[in-house]
Amino acid sequence: MSDDQYASATRRLRANGIELNGASGTLTKDGITASYEHANGKLKIEIIDRPFLLPLSLIEGKLRAYLDQSVACDQSKSSA
């Protein structure tokens, strides 16, 4: 994930109530807490805490959808 893609993902997540402040840190929303780190072209997110009844696969799917949209937007801009 390039720096531009990371910036796009940050904006998309912020629009959905999830703040990423800087290249690493902790994010929290709706009882879900995760750590994140963007370095060397990769974004690593680790779920630290979540509501017991909320499946990890659902959380991962939502995050991937936000991030995939950011990557797709940046790729379509660069090909235009």
Side-chain angles (χ1 to χ4, degrees):
M1 173 178 277
S2 71
D3 289 345
D4 288 341
Q5 290 169 330
Y6 180 69
S8 179
T10 299
R11 287 189 298 274
R12 181 173 302 287
L13 290 169
R14 184 177 302 120
N16 287 282
I18 302 170
E19 287 290 329
L20 299 181
N21 296 309
S24 65
T26 303
L27 60 91
T28 224
K29 184 177 181 182
D30 297 334
I32 300 164
T33 303
S35 64
Y36 67 91
E37 179 181 13
H38 179 249
N40 301 319
K42 295 183 181 184
L43 176 62
K44 177 183 173 184
I45 300 175
E46 181 180 352
I47 307 300
I48 299 169
D49 193 23
R50 64 183 170 87
F52 178 72
L53 296 176
L54 190 60
L56 189 56
S57 60
L58 180 65
I59 298 167
E60 289 175 348
K62 270 294 211 198
L63 281 171
R64 285 185 194 278
Y66 291 136
L67 297 173
D68 288 346
Q69 288 174 358
S70 297
V71 170
C73 282
D74 285 346
Q75 287 174 347
S76 68
K77 286 179 189 175
S78 65
S79 65

